[in-house]
Amino acid sequence: MKINAERLWDREQEVGEYGRDPRGGISRFAWTPEYREAAILLIKWMEEAGLKVRVDTVGNIYGRYEGTKDLPPVLTGSHFDTVPMGGKYDGLAGVMTALEALETMREAGYKPKRPIEMIAFINEEASQFLGGHFGSKAICGMLPHDFASVSVDRNTGKTMKEAMLEYDMGLEPDNFEGSFIKKEDYFAFIELHIEQGKYLLKKGLPVAVVNDIAGIHQFYITYYGESAHAGGMAMEDRHDAFAAAAMTACEVERLALESGSPTRGTVGYLKVEPNEHNIVANKVTFSVDFREVEDDIWKQLYDNLIEFVEKQCEERGLTYKVKSTISTAPCHCHPRLKEIIAESADKHGIPHMNMVSYPAHDAMQMGRLYPMAMIFLRSSNGGVSHCPEELTTKEDLAAGAQVLCETLQRLCELEEI
Ligand SMILES: [Zn+2]
């Protein structure tokens, strides 16, 4: 079976235009009119490809390709929303290659043993309603029941519930339960996604098999000290919240560099109060973002940093608070699924490598329920992503769709993994 590279590329470009932002790039946020238009086009294509389409209670779109036996389906897909002023490939590549793979199967008259379903997750980027990975978290039962009522658009103040109702696609914001999937509902989950870095570009390879998805711990630390005159107050009498924050930022970098693993540690946000050149700061809030693949190290990073923070407070006479925003443990791709992806690429003469995903993906949530694996595609324009310059070439998209199509075929003939 050979996928249709032209059709895939043309559709990626066409649906990828929805949400065109006058400031540049694409801003297609969940439950907006432009998202709705794009979803309607996607559903039309899915139905034309012979898929049985349904939209769940929160807005994820499913399409089912029937199998000959009544077995749990293989599920594949990615997200359909973008970051503000993003590109046409992040998320969308995984949705459109899934559709292309299923349409190719139908055209070839292929009847899989297991059904295959595709999914377009909603609100993964969470550009308006913060949190991230909404669609996959919702179906895996990881969100509180009243989430849609309490979650607010950070720009307009509108609740998620209002946005879901205005979306007018029959969603039920008070019925997240209606979207839940259970362990026995699916056989395996595969997500194809662009790399969003330059490993593949530097290696000159189109495709990677993902080994693990790094865990993320994102939190905000606030130090409370005492304002004082920058001249009058002697150094030993100060309670300087900013000096502690600066030391802690350096410690984040040191912990990442010396973890014994390719940990990422970032302090990217800082708020200093009162933020004056001649006043010792009395309150400083900053973000910490740790990403790590090894479960033990991932836990240790946080514990070690908090120990450091407590020492700073002791030495400087400060107090502190921590507010955790994301805490998602590392996720490990299924060994047999990784082999099947590699074998599928080999069969079509598509060169590949293995790598870690440091960005988080919907696959992390799905991986807690099902055997999971990911296929990465080369980000061609210098590896950049989450910007209008994001690019994955027609050839690489086609290579990815071919690997996905082969992988799905192999998976849906398996009795067990
Ligand atoms: Zn993405």
Side-chain angles (χ1 to χ4, degrees), residues 283-314:
K283 183 179 172 191
V284 176
T285 300
F286 56 100
S287 61
V288 180
D289 181 310
F290 279 128
R291 303 193 185 215
E292 167 57 40
V293 170
E294 303 293 336
D295 302 87
D296 297 350
I297 299 177
W298 183 75
K299 283 195 207 96
Q300 202 58 50
L301 287 162
Y302 178 79
D303 293 347
N304 288 352
L305 188 72
I306 293 305
E307 207 175 293
F308 182 88
V309 166
E310 283 172 357
K311 226 171 84 206
Q312 285 294 310
C313 287
E314 219 174 275

PDB file of all heavy atoms in Angstrom, residues 283-314:
ATOM      1  N   LYS A 283       9.763  40.506  47.502  1.00  0.00           N
ATOM      2  CA  LYS A 283       8.996  39.361  47.005  1.00  0.00           C
ATOM      3  C   LYS A 283       9.438  39.048  45.579  1.00  0.00           C
ATOM      4  O   LYS A 283       9.410  39.929  44.710  1.00  0.00           O
ATOM      5  CB  LYS A 283       7.500  39.710  47.029  1.00  0.00           C
ATOM      6  CG  LYS A 283       6.613  38.557  46.609  1.00  0.00           C
ATOM      7  CD  LYS A 283       5.133  38.957  46.665  1.00  0.00           C
ATOM      8  CE  LYS A 283       4.268  37.888  46.071  1.00  0.00           C
ATOM      9  NZ  LYS A 283       2.880  38.324  45.872  1.00  0.00           N
ATOM     10  N   VAL A 284       9.835  37.810  45.350  1.00  0.00           N
ATOM     11  CA  VAL A 284      10.257  37.411  44.001  1.00  0.00           C
ATOM     12  C   VAL A 284       9.623  36.071  43.657  1.00  0.00           C
ATOM     13  O   VAL A 284       9.714  35.108  44.422  1.00  0.00           O
ATOM     14  CB  VAL A 284      11.796  37.301  43.900  1.00  0.00           C
ATOM     15  CG1 VAL A 284      12.195  36.803  42.520  1.00  0.00           C
ATOM     16  CG2 VAL A 284      12.437  38.653  44.181  1.00  0.00           C
ATOM     17  N   THR A 285       8.963  36.051  42.515  1.00  0.00           N
ATOM     18  CA  THR A 285       8.361  34.801  42.020  1.00  0.00           C
ATOM     19  C   THR A 285       9.059  34.412  40.718  1.00  0.00           C
ATOM     20  O   THR A 285       9.301  35.271  39.864  1.00  0.00           O
ATOM     21  CB  THR A 285       6.853  35.003  41.752  1.00  0.00           C
ATOM     22  OG1 THR A 285       6.235  35.382  42.981  1.00  0.00           O
ATOM     23  CG2 THR A 285       6.206  33.733  41.228  1.00  0.00           C
ATOM     24  N   PHE A 286       9.401  33.140  40.583  1.00  0.00           N
ATOM     25  CA  PHE A 286      10.013  32.672  39.331  1.00  0.00           C
ATOM     26  C   PHE A 286       9.544  31.248  39.031  1.00  0.00           C
ATOM     27  O   PHE A 286       9.091  30.521  39.912  1.00  0.00           O
ATOM     28  CB  PHE A 286      11.544  32.742  39.407  1.00  0.00           C
ATOM     29  CG  PHE A 286      12.138  31.978  40.555  1.00  0.00           C
ATOM     30  CD1 PHE A 286      12.688  30.719  40.355  1.00  0.00           C
ATOM     31  CD2 PHE A 286      12.135  32.513  41.837  1.00  0.00           C
ATOM     32  CE1 PHE A 286      13.228  30.012  41.418  1.00  0.00           C
ATOM     33  CE2 PHE A 286      12.667  31.799  42.908  1.00  0.00           C
ATOM     34  CZ  PHE A 286      13.219  30.558  42.697  1.00  0.00           C
ATOM     35  N   SER A 287       9.658  30.895  37.752  1.00  0.00           N
ATOM     36  CA  SER A 287       9.215  29.570  37.325  1.00  0.00           C
ATOM     37  C   SER A 287      10.398  28.618  37.290  1.00  0.00           C
ATOM     38  O   SER A 287      11.536  29.042  37.088  1.00  0.00           O
ATOM     39  CB  SER A 287       8.619  29.660  35.923  1.00  0.00           C
ATOM     40  OG  SER A 287       9.603  30.110  35.020  1.00  0.00           O
ATOM     41  N   VAL A 288      10.110  27.345  37.493  1.00  0.00           N
ATOM     42  CA  VAL A 288      11.111  26.294  37.275  1.00  0.00           C
ATOM     43  C   VAL A 288      10.469  25.235  36.395  1.00  0.00           C
ATOM     44  O   VAL A 288       9.307  24.881  36.591  1.00  0.00           O
ATOM     45  CB  VAL A 288      11.563  25.647  38.606  1.00  0.00           C
ATOM     46  CG1 VAL A 288      12.600  24.561  38.348  1.00  0.00           C
ATOM     47  CG2 VAL A 288      12.104  26.700  39.563  1.00  0.00           C
ATOM     48  N   ASP A 289      11.225  24.767  35.402  1.00  0.00           N
ATOM     49  CA  ASP A 289      10.738  23.743  34.484  1.00  0.00           C
ATOM     50  C   ASP A 289      11.820  22.681  34.370  1.00  0.00           C
ATOM     51  O   ASP A 289      12.897  22.946  33.849  1.00  0.00           O
ATOM     52  CB  ASP A 289      10.443  24.405  33.123  1.00  0.00           C
ATOM     53  CG  ASP A 289       9.916  23.427  32.089  1.00  0.00           C
ATOM     54  OD1 ASP A 289      10.529  22.360  31.908  1.00  0.00           O
ATOM     55  OD2 ASP A 289       8.899  23.734  31.435  1.00  0.00           O
ATOM     56  N   PHE A 290      11.537  21.490  34.912  1.00  0.00           N
ATOM     57  CA  PHE A 290      12.468  20.364  34.799  1.00  0.00           C
ATOM     58  C   PHE A 290      11.895  19.331  33.839  1.00  0.00           C
ATOM     59  O   PHE A 290      10.714  18.991  33.931  1.00  0.00           O
ATOM     60  CB  PHE A 290      12.654  19.664  36.154  1.00  0.00           C
ATOM     61  CG  PHE A 290      13.620  20.331  37.085  1.00  0.00           C
ATOM     62  CD1 PHE A 290      13.247  20.631  38.384  1.00  0.00           C
ATOM     63  CD2 PHE A 290      14.919  20.636  36.679  1.00  0.00           C
ATOM     64  CE1 PHE A 290      14.135  21.226  39.266  1.00  0.00           C
ATOM     65  CE2 PHE A 290      15.812  21.237  37.561  1.00  0.00           C
ATOM     66  CZ  PHE A 290      15.418  21.531  38.854  1.00  0.00           C
ATOM     67  N   ARG A 291      12.733  18.824  32.947  1.00  0.00           N
ATOM     68  CA  ARG A 291      12.308  17.723  32.060  1.00  0.00           C
ATOM     69  C   ARG A 291      13.352  16.625  32.120  1.00  0.00           C
ATOM     70  O   ARG A 291      14.551  16.887  31.975  1.00  0.00           O
ATOM     71  CB  ARG A 291      12.166  18.220  30.629  1.00  0.00           C
ATOM     72  CG  ARG A 291      11.196  19.367  30.603  1.00  0.00           C
ATOM     73  CD  ARG A 291      10.720  19.757  29.271  1.00  0.00           C
ATOM     74  NE  ARG A 291       9.889  20.934  29.417  1.00  0.00           N
ATOM     75  CZ  ARG A 291       8.830  21.179  28.675  1.00  0.00           C
ATOM     76  NH1 ARG A 291       8.474  20.348  27.742  1.00  0.00           N
ATOM     77  NH2 ARG A 291       8.120  22.277  28.869  1.00  0.00           N
ATOM     78  N   GLU A 292      12.882  15.420  32.349  1.00  0.00           N
ATOM     79  CA  GLU A 292      13.809  14.315  32.582  1.00  0.00           C
ATOM     80  C   GLU A 292      13.136  12.988  32.254  1.00  0.00           C
ATOM     81  O   GLU A 292      11.944  12.825  32.498  1.00  0.00           O
ATOM     82  CB  GLU A 292      14.270  14.364  34.058  1.00  0.00           C
ATOM     83  CG  GLU A 292      14.976  13.154  34.569  1.00  0.00           C
ATOM     84  CD  GLU A 292      16.218  12.799  33.759  1.00  0.00           C
ATOM     85  OE1 GLU A 292      16.970  13.708  33.340  1.00  0.00           O
ATOM     86  OE2 GLU A 292      16.426  11.596  33.518  1.00  0.00           O
ATOM     87  N   VAL A 293      13.921  12.051  31.723  1.00  0.00           N
ATOM     88  CA  VAL A 293      13.400  10.764  31.282  1.00  0.00           C
ATOM     89  C   VAL A 293      13.404   9.709  32.386  1.00  0.00           C
ATOM     90  O   VAL A 293      12.496   8.883  32.476  1.00  0.00           O
ATOM     91  CB  VAL A 293      14.239  10.262  30.085  1.00  0.00           C
ATOM     92  CG1 VAL A 293      13.900   8.834  29.739  1.00  0.00           C
ATOM     93  CG2 VAL A 293      14.025  11.165  28.893  1.00  0.00           C
ATOM     94  N   GLU A 294      14.443   9.718  33.223  1.00  0.00           N
ATOM     95  CA  GLU A 294      14.563   8.682  34.256  1.00  0.00           C
ATOM     96  C   GLU A 294      13.646   9.003  35.440  1.00  0.00           C
ATOM     97  O   GLU A 294      13.743  10.090  36.023  1.00  0.00           O
ATOM     98  CB  GLU A 294      16.013   8.600  34.760  1.00  0.00           C
ATOM     99  CG  GLU A 294      17.045   8.322  33.687  1.00  0.00           C
ATOM    100  CD  GLU A 294      16.909   6.925  33.100  1.00  0.00           C
ATOM    101  OE1 GLU A 294      16.360   6.037  33.775  1.00  0.00           O
ATOM    102  OE2 GLU A 294      17.340   6.743  31.948  1.00  0.00           O
ATOM    103  N   ASP A 295      12.818   8.035  35.825  1.00  0.00           N
ATOM    104  CA  ASP A 295      11.828   8.274  36.873  1.00  0.00           C
ATOM    105  C   ASP A 295      12.466   8.754  38.187  1.00  0.00           C
ATOM    106  O   ASP A 295      11.982   9.691  38.805  1.00  0.00           O
ATOM    107  CB  ASP A 295      11.022   7.003  37.150  1.00  0.00           C
ATOM    108  CG  ASP A 295      10.320   6.513  35.897  1.00  0.00           C
ATOM    109  OD1 ASP A 295      10.931   5.753  35.130  1.00  0.00           O
ATOM    110  OD2 ASP A 295       9.177   6.924  35.670  1.00  0.00           O
ATOM    111  N   ASP A 296      13.562   8.089  38.578  1.00  0.00           N
ATOM    112  CA  ASP A 296      14.185   8.423  39.868  1.00  0.00           C
ATOM    113  C   ASP A 296      14.764   9.831  39.845  1.00  0.00           C
ATOM    114  O   ASP A 296      14.581  10.611  40.789  1.00  0.00           O
ATOM    115  CB  ASP A 296      15.339   7.449  40.186  1.00  0.00           C
ATOM    116  CG  ASP A 296      14.822   6.037  40.339  1.00  0.00           C
ATOM    117  OD1 ASP A 296      13.583   5.881  40.392  1.00  0.00           O
ATOM    118  OD2 ASP A 296      15.648   5.115  40.393  1.00  0.00           O
ATOM    119  N   ILE A 297      15.471  10.144  38.779  1.00  0.00           N
ATOM    120  CA  ILE A 297      16.106  11.470  38.680  1.00  0.00           C
ATOM    121  C   ILE A 297      15.027  12.546  38.643  1.00  0.00           C
ATOM    122  O   ILE A 297      15.156  13.600  39.265  1.00  0.00           O
ATOM    123  CB  ILE A 297      17.021  11.553  37.435  1.00  0.00           C
ATOM    124  CG1 ILE A 297      18.143  10.517  37.544  1.00  0.00           C
ATOM    125  CG2 ILE A 297      17.590  12.954  37.268  1.00  0.00           C
ATOM    126  CD1 ILE A 297      19.059  10.452  36.350  1.00  0.00           C
ATOM    127  N   TRP A 298      13.953  12.263  37.918  1.00  0.00           N
ATOM    128  CA  TRP A 298      12.854  13.226  37.790  1.00  0.00           C
ATOM    129  C   TRP A 298      12.317  13.623  39.171  1.00  0.00           C
ATOM    130  O   TRP A 298      12.078  14.797  39.452  1.00  0.00           O
ATOM    131  CB  TRP A 298      11.741  12.606  36.929  1.00  0.00           C
ATOM    132  CG  TRP A 298      10.600  13.528  36.672  1.00  0.00           C
ATOM    133  CD1 TRP A 298      10.582  14.585  35.822  1.00  0.00           C
ATOM    134  CD2 TRP A 298       9.310  13.481  37.282  1.00  0.00           C
ATOM    135  NE1 TRP A 298       9.356  15.203  35.863  1.00  0.00           N
ATOM    136  CE2 TRP A 298       8.561  14.541  36.742  1.00  0.00           C
ATOM    137  CE3 TRP A 298       8.715  12.642  38.225  1.00  0.00           C
ATOM    138  CZ2 TRP A 298       7.245  14.791  37.112  1.00  0.00           C
ATOM    139  CZ3 TRP A 298       7.410  12.879  38.595  1.00  0.00           C
ATOM    140  CH2 TRP A 298       6.692  13.944  38.037  1.00  0.00           C
ATOM    141  N   LYS A 299      12.165  12.636  40.047  1.00  0.00           N
ATOM    142  CA  LYS A 299      11.689  12.935  41.414  1.00  0.00           C
ATOM    143  C   LYS A 299      12.761  13.683  42.209  1.00  0.00           C
ATOM    144  O   LYS A 299      12.483  14.634  42.928  1.00  0.00           O
ATOM    145  CB  LYS A 299      11.346  11.632  42.138  1.00  0.00           C
ATOM    146  CG  LYS A 299      10.017  11.043  41.716  1.00  0.00           C
ATOM    147  CD  LYS A 299       9.572   9.973  42.721  1.00  0.00           C
ATOM    148  CE  LYS A 299       8.685   8.938  42.083  1.00  0.00           C
ATOM    149  NZ  LYS A 299       9.408   7.722  41.642  1.00  0.00           N
ATOM    150  N   GLN A 300      14.009  13.210  42.054  1.00  0.00           N
ATOM    151  CA  GLN A 300      15.117  13.737  42.836  1.00  0.00           C
ATOM    152  C   GLN A 300      15.365  15.226  42.560  1.00  0.00           C
ATOM    153  O   GLN A 300      15.691  15.988  43.485  1.00  0.00           O
ATOM    154  CB  GLN A 300      16.377  12.924  42.506  1.00  0.00           C
ATOM    155  CG  GLN A 300      17.440  12.976  43.572  1.00  0.00           C
ATOM    156  CD  GLN A 300      16.916  12.471  44.916  1.00  0.00           C
ATOM    157  OE1 GLN A 300      16.332  11.399  45.001  1.00  0.00           O
ATOM    158  NE2 GLN A 300      17.102  13.261  45.960  1.00  0.00           N
ATOM    159  N   LEU A 301      15.189  15.648  41.308  1.00  0.00           N
ATOM    160  CA  LEU A 301      15.466  17.044  40.932  1.00  0.00           C
ATOM    161  C   LEU A 301      14.650  18.004  41.793  1.00  0.00           C
ATOM    162  O   LEU A 301      15.161  18.990  42.326  1.00  0.00           O
ATOM    163  CB  LEU A 301      15.112  17.274  39.455  1.00  0.00           C
ATOM    164  CG  LEU A 301      16.066  16.656  38.442  1.00  0.00           C
ATOM    165  CD1 LEU A 301      15.393  16.566  37.080  1.00  0.00           C
ATOM    166  CD2 LEU A 301      17.355  17.468  38.348  1.00  0.00           C
ATOM    167  N   TYR A 302      13.370  17.693  41.921  1.00  0.00           N
ATOM    168  CA  TYR A 302      12.483  18.558  42.684  1.00  0.00           C
ATOM    169  C   TYR A 302      12.883  18.555  44.163  1.00  0.00           C
ATOM    170  O   TYR A 302      13.037  19.617  44.782  1.00  0.00           O
ATOM    171  CB  TYR A 302      11.031  18.102  42.517  1.00  0.00           C
ATOM    172  CG  TYR A 302      10.047  18.925  43.309  1.00  0.00           C
ATOM    173  CD1 TYR A 302       9.635  20.169  42.833  1.00  0.00           C
ATOM    174  CD2 TYR A 302       9.536  18.476  44.525  1.00  0.00           C
ATOM    175  CE1 TYR A 302       8.739  20.948  43.559  1.00  0.00           C
ATOM    176  CE2 TYR A 302       8.647  19.242  45.251  1.00  0.00           C
ATOM    177  CZ  TYR A 302       8.250  20.474  44.766  1.00  0.00           C
ATOM    178  OH  TYR A 302       7.371  21.230  45.480  1.00  0.00           O
ATOM    179  N   ASP A 303      13.082  17.373  44.699  1.00  0.00           N
ATOM    180  CA  ASP A 303      13.428  17.264  46.122  1.00  0.00           C
ATOM    181  C   ASP A 303      14.716  18.023  46.425  1.00  0.00           C
ATOM    182  O   ASP A 303      14.807  18.747  47.421  1.00  0.00           O
ATOM    183  CB  ASP A 303      13.593  15.793  46.526  1.00  0.00           C
ATOM    184  CG  ASP A 303      12.269  15.046  46.459  1.00  0.00           C
ATOM    185  OD1 ASP A 303      11.218  15.714  46.353  1.00  0.00           O
ATOM    186  OD2 ASP A 303      12.281  13.805  46.494  1.00  0.00           O
ATOM    187  N   ASN A 304      15.708  17.867  45.547  1.00  0.00           N
ATOM    188  CA  ASN A 304      16.991  18.541  45.763  1.00  0.00           C
ATOM    189  C   ASN A 304      16.848  20.062  45.704  1.00  0.00           C
ATOM    190  O   ASN A 304      17.471  20.782  46.471  1.00  0.00           O
ATOM    191  CB  ASN A 304      18.021  18.090  44.729  1.00  0.00           C
ATOM    192  CG  ASN A 304      18.479  16.666  44.986  1.00  0.00           C
ATOM    193  OD1 ASN A 304      18.151  16.077  46.009  1.00  0.00           O
ATOM    194  ND2 ASN A 304      19.223  16.111  44.057  1.00  0.00           N
ATOM    195  N   LEU A 305      16.032  20.518  44.760  1.00  0.00           N
ATOM    196  CA  LEU A 305      15.875  21.969  44.638  1.00  0.00           C
ATOM    197  C   LEU A 305      15.171  22.539  45.867  1.00  0.00           C
ATOM    198  O   LEU A 305      15.558  23.600  46.378  1.00  0.00           O
ATOM    199  CB  LEU A 305      15.112  22.343  43.360  1.00  0.00           C
ATOM    200  CG  LEU A 305      15.111  23.849  43.104  1.00  0.00           C
ATOM    201  CD1 LEU A 305      16.490  24.326  42.650  1.00  0.00           C
ATOM    202  CD2 LEU A 305      14.062  24.261  42.085  1.00  0.00           C
ATOM    203  N   ILE A 306      14.155  21.849  46.340  1.00  0.00           N
ATOM    204  CA  ILE A 306      13.422  22.346  47.513  1.00  0.00           C
ATOM    205  C   ILE A 306      14.340  22.380  48.738  1.00  0.00           C
ATOM    206  O   ILE A 306      14.282  23.314  49.549  1.00  0.00           O
ATOM    207  CB  ILE A 306      12.150  21.501  47.768  1.00  0.00           C
ATOM    208  CG1 ILE A 306      11.159  21.706  46.620  1.00  0.00           C
ATOM    209  CG2 ILE A 306      11.506  21.866  49.109  1.00  0.00           C
ATOM    210  CD1 ILE A 306      10.767  23.144  46.316  1.00  0.00           C
ATOM    211  N   GLU A 307      15.223  21.405  48.836  1.00  0.00           N
ATOM    212  CA  GLU A 307      16.204  21.400  49.925  1.00  0.00           C
ATOM    213  C   GLU A 307      17.069  22.668  49.842  1.00  0.00           C
ATOM    214  O   GLU A 307      17.336  23.329  50.851  1.00  0.00           O
ATOM    215  CB  GLU A 307      17.085  20.162  49.764  1.00  0.00           C
ATOM    216  CG  GLU A 307      17.689  19.632  51.038  1.00  0.00           C
ATOM    217  CD  GLU A 307      18.434  18.338  50.718  1.00  0.00           C
ATOM    218  OE1 GLU A 307      17.772  17.338  50.364  1.00  0.00           O
ATOM    219  OE2 GLU A 307      19.676  18.365  50.779  1.00  0.00           O
ATOM    220  N   PHE A 308      17.483  22.992  48.627  1.00  0.00           N
ATOM    221  CA  PHE A 308      18.288  24.198  48.394  1.00  0.00           C
ATOM    222  C   PHE A 308      17.505  25.459  48.777  1.00  0.00           C
ATOM    223  O   PHE A 308      18.028  26.377  49.414  1.00  0.00           O
ATOM    224  CB  PHE A 308      18.717  24.259  46.924  1.00  0.00           C
ATOM    225  CG  PHE A 308      19.599  25.427  46.587  1.00  0.00           C
ATOM    226  CD1 PHE A 308      20.980  25.348  46.718  1.00  0.00           C
ATOM    227  CD2 PHE A 308      19.050  26.631  46.141  1.00  0.00           C
ATOM    228  CE1 PHE A 308      21.791  26.430  46.417  1.00  0.00           C
ATOM    229  CE2 PHE A 308      19.852  27.722  45.840  1.00  0.00           C
ATOM    230  CZ  PHE A 308      21.227  27.623  45.980  1.00  0.00           C
ATOM    231  N   VAL A 309      16.229  25.497  48.388  1.00  0.00           N
ATOM    232  CA  VAL A 309      15.368  26.650  48.681  1.00  0.00           C
ATOM    233  C   VAL A 309      15.240  26.842  50.196  1.00  0.00           C
ATOM    234  O   VAL A 309      15.323  27.964  50.703  1.00  0.00           O
ATOM    235  CB  VAL A 309      13.978  26.448  48.024  1.00  0.00           C
ATOM    236  CG1 VAL A 309      12.953  27.437  48.569  1.00  0.00           C
ATOM    237  CG2 VAL A 309      14.081  26.579  46.511  1.00  0.00           C
ATOM    238  N   GLU A 310      15.068  25.734  50.892  1.00  0.00           N
ATOM    239  CA  GLU A 310      14.926  25.826  52.353  1.00  0.00           C
ATOM    240  C   GLU A 310      16.208  26.346  53.006  1.00  0.00           C
ATOM    241  O   GLU A 310      16.166  27.111  53.969  1.00  0.00           O
ATOM    242  CB  GLU A 310      14.506  24.465  52.925  1.00  0.00           C
ATOM    243  CG  GLU A 310      13.025  24.244  52.675  1.00  0.00           C
ATOM    244  CD  GLU A 310      12.516  22.869  53.022  1.00  0.00           C
ATOM    245  OE1 GLU A 310      13.323  21.998  53.420  1.00  0.00           O
ATOM    246  OE2 GLU A 310      11.295  22.664  52.865  1.00  0.00           O
ATOM    247  N   LYS A 311      17.338  25.950  52.426  1.00  0.00           N
ATOM    248  CA  LYS A 311      18.628  26.429  52.941  1.00  0.00           C
ATOM    249  C   LYS A 311      18.775  27.942  52.705  1.00  0.00           C
ATOM    250  O   LYS A 311      19.236  28.682  53.574  1.00  0.00           O
ATOM    251  CB  LYS A 311      19.775  25.669  52.263  1.00  0.00           C
ATOM    252  CG  LYS A 311      20.807  25.198  53.278  1.00  0.00           C
ATOM    253  CD  LYS A 311      21.818  24.257  52.662  1.00  0.00           C
ATOM    254  CE  LYS A 311      22.935  25.024  51.991  1.00  0.00           C
ATOM    255  NZ  LYS A 311      23.597  24.329  50.911  1.00  0.00           N
ATOM    256  N   GLN A 312      18.332  28.383  51.527  1.00  0.00           N
ATOM    257  CA  GLN A 312      18.363  29.818  51.226  1.00  0.00           C
ATOM    258  C   GLN A 312      17.532  30.604  52.245  1.00  0.00           C
ATOM    259  O   GLN A 312      17.937  31.667  52.714  1.00  0.00           O
ATOM    260  CB  GLN A 312      17.814  30.083  49.812  1.00  0.00           C
ATOM    261  CG  GLN A 312      18.757  29.708  48.694  1.00  0.00           C
ATOM    262  CD  GLN A 312      20.007  30.581  48.692  1.00  0.00           C
ATOM    263  OE1 GLN A 312      19.919  31.803  48.748  1.00  0.00           O
ATOM    264  NE2 GLN A 312      21.174  29.957  48.657  1.00  0.00           N
ATOM    265  N   CYS A 313      16.364  30.088  52.543  1.00  0.00           N
ATOM    266  CA  CYS A 313      15.457  30.758  53.473  1.00  0.00           C
ATOM    267  C   CYS A 313      16.084  30.851  54.864  1.00  0.00           C
ATOM    268  O   CYS A 313      15.984  31.886  55.528  1.00  0.00           O
ATOM    269  CB  CYS A 313      14.127  30.014  53.550  1.00  0.00           C
ATOM    270  SG  CYS A 313      13.139  30.237  52.067  1.00  0.00           S
ATOM    271  N   GLU A 314      16.718  29.756  55.243  1.00  0.00           N
ATOM    272  CA  GLU A 314      17.356  29.706  56.547  1.00  0.00           C
ATOM    273  C   GLU A 314      18.481  30.739  56.634  1.00  0.00           C
ATOM    274  O   GLU A 314      18.569  31.522  57.574  1.00  0.00           O
ATOM    275  CB  GLU A 314      17.934  28.306  56.735  1.00  0.00           C
ATOM    276  CG  GLU A 314      17.795  27.733  58.117  1.00  0.00           C
ATOM    277  CD  GLU A 314      18.293  26.299  58.088  1.00  0.00           C
ATOM    278  OE1 GLU A 314      17.492  25.418  57.736  1.00  0.00           O
ATOM    279  OE2 GLU A 314      19.495  26.088  58.365  1.00  0.00           O
TER     280      GLU A 314
END
